[in-house]
Amino acid sequence: MGVADIGIDLGTTSVLIYTKEKGIILREPSVVAVSTKTGEVIAVGEDALAMVGKTPDRIRAVRPLADGVVSDFHLCEYMLKYFIRKACGGQTLKPRVAICIPSEITQVERRSVIDAAISAGARKVFLVDEPMAAVLGLGLDISRPCGQIVLDIGGGTTDIAVFTLNGIAIARSVRRAGNAFDQEIIRYVRSSTGLLIGERMAEEAKKALSSVVSPDPEGRITLKGRDLRTGLPAKREISHEALASWLSEPLEEILNLLQQTLEETPPELACDIYQNGIWLAGGGALLGGLPEAVTQRTGLPTHRPEDPVACVARGAGLVFDQAEALEDGVLTPSMYRY
Ligand SMILES: Nc1ncnc2c1ncn2[C@@H]1O[C@H](COP(=O)(O)OP(=O)(O)O)[C@@H](O)[C@H]1O
Ligand SMILES: [Mg+2]
């Protein structure tokens, strides 16, 4: 019995590992906690996330991919190795590993992702571009001359791509996504109520919002933080309606990019998209009312899969059989010299 091939979404917010046989076998935040004195890693994933915003001076909680500093890249390698071993521990045969990495990553960093996976036990490493992984994970057929569009809203970036004939016709990206919503909440809560809240509180509020399009008029969320006037711990009640209005600006930016991409799409492909609608992926797609907002803006049917966060890992895990056929977005071991 061979070892399952695994697909990995090395996301800026979370890391997921998928196998065809078992589905998602690991889902952890991409966070590493390190000692500021020795540089030693203290915790990875869930345990490290619990420390974000709460670390004493001697510990630093880092998001090695989101913070984007090259000097933290060895932490990214460490984290990748740690998760591969955690997910595949006990397996004696070496798996093939397909990894999806954020598009901004440099050639040198790509190289070190490959090395990290090999040293964690991978037999072969495939690198998959995020939009390609997302569309495969959604299970869409892109082999025919028929356009499909995917809107992937992650933590740091939103990626939009149009696919046809196993390739990418158009790809656009903007550095506004889920985290931008959190930042807007922090900013508005501060300026309108004088309460300073942390990123995790802001994210909690965002997840609790019923809908950005038609917020529940009765809906209320309690936020806890520090009162800027008294300096003491305090809480405030916020309406869903206020929350929804605070999110409108980053949401507009994402919708504008979508509209722009649709405008740049050749008419024949646009015609297919009119039929097929818009597919959503990424954690940001879980924002309450997002499919309605997309439909309202574009007039097109919008589909949100049951688990949009898992799409990219699933797509990476399904790439092995199709890698040869795909025109774009996959780097196979035969394409890089090891
Ligand atoms: N239920 C939810 N409602 C709104 N946003 C969500 C929800 N769940 C996750 N998110 C957001 O999704 C983003 C992370 O998406 P993900 O696809 O995991 O990102 P990445 O590709 O950057 O790793 C975060 O900003 C997170 O707050
Ligand atoms: Mg992602």
Side-chain angles (χ1 to χ4, degrees), residues 63-279:
R63 291 186 178 274
L65 285 141
D67 303 338
V69 194
V70 181
S71 62
D72 282 339
F73 209 78
H74 72 280
L75 291 178
C76 171
E77 289 174 41
Y78 185 101
M79 181 175 79
L80 177 63
K81 271 192 241 174
Y82 176 92
F83 286 145
I84 294 179
R85 292 198 179 121
K86 184 169 177 183
C88 304
Q91 286 190 349
T92 42
L93 289 173
K94 295 178 157 201
R96 285 189 299 177
V97 177
I99 308 175
C100 175
I101 48 178
S103 41
E104 304 99 81
I105 274 191
T106 65
Q107 285 302 330
V108 176
E109 290 167 344
R110 274 166 200 263
R111 182 83 260 163
S112 65
V113 164
I114 295 172
D115 290 343
I118 300 246
S119 81
R123 168 163 51 101
K124 279 187 175 164
V125 183
F126 294 58
L127 294 186
V128 192
D129 286 348
E130 189 148 7
M132 192 47 96
V135 76
L136 296 178
L138 282 163
L140 302 180
D141 177 10
I142 55 164
S143 66
R144 292 177 305 124
C146 176
Q148 293 280 9
I149 189 166
V150 176
L151 167 61
D152 176 351
I153 308 175
T157 51
T158 294
D159 293 283
I160 304 174
V162 176
F163 304 85
T164 181
L165 290 173
N166 283 328
I168 298 172
I170 300 183
R172 294 284 176 271
S173 180
V174 64
R175 283 181 153 277
R176 295 286 264 173
N179 301 344
F181 294 135
D182 304 344
Q183 293 306 323
E184 286 299 274
I185 294 174
I186 293 174
R187 198 162 70 85
Y188 276 103
V189 169
R190 183 186 177 133
S191 65
S192 66
T193 75
L195 188 76
L196 185 62
I197 59 167
E199 282 172 16
R200 297 193 66 188
M201 183 82 249
E203 186 186 22
E204 229 175 87
K206 173 182 71 177
K207 290 183 177 174
L209 173 62
S210 47
S211 166
V212 273
V213 178
S214 46
D216 172 8
E218 310 282 299
R220 297 280 182 279
I221 296 162
T222 304
L223 300 176
K224 293 181 201 134
R226 176 158 55 85
D227 188 313
L228 283 166
R229 202 172 44 81
T230 65
L232 298 173
K235 58 183 183 183
R236 302 275 193 280
E237 225 181 51
I238 302 294
S239 71
H240 281 213
E241 283 171 340
L243 259 181
S245 71
W246 297 341
L247 299 187
S248 62
E249 194 223 293
L251 180 63
E252 257 324 275
E253 245 182 276
I254 292 170
L255 294 176
N256 285 344
L257 183 72
L258 175 62
Q259 183 163 358
Q260 206 181 313
T261 312
L262 288 167
E263 282 165 9
E264 290 167 22
T265 302
E268 298 293 346
L269 290 178
C271 176
D272 300 332
I273 289 170
Y274 186 82
Q275 204 90 47
N276 298 332
I278 294 167
W279 285 83

Side-chain angles (χ1 to χ4, degrees), residues 11-14 130 154-156 178-179 203 206-207 282-284 286-287 309:
T12 52
T13 310
S14 46
E130 189 148 7
N179 301 344
E203 186 186 22
K206 173 182 71 177
K207 290 183 177 174
L286 288 168
L287 185 68
V309 185

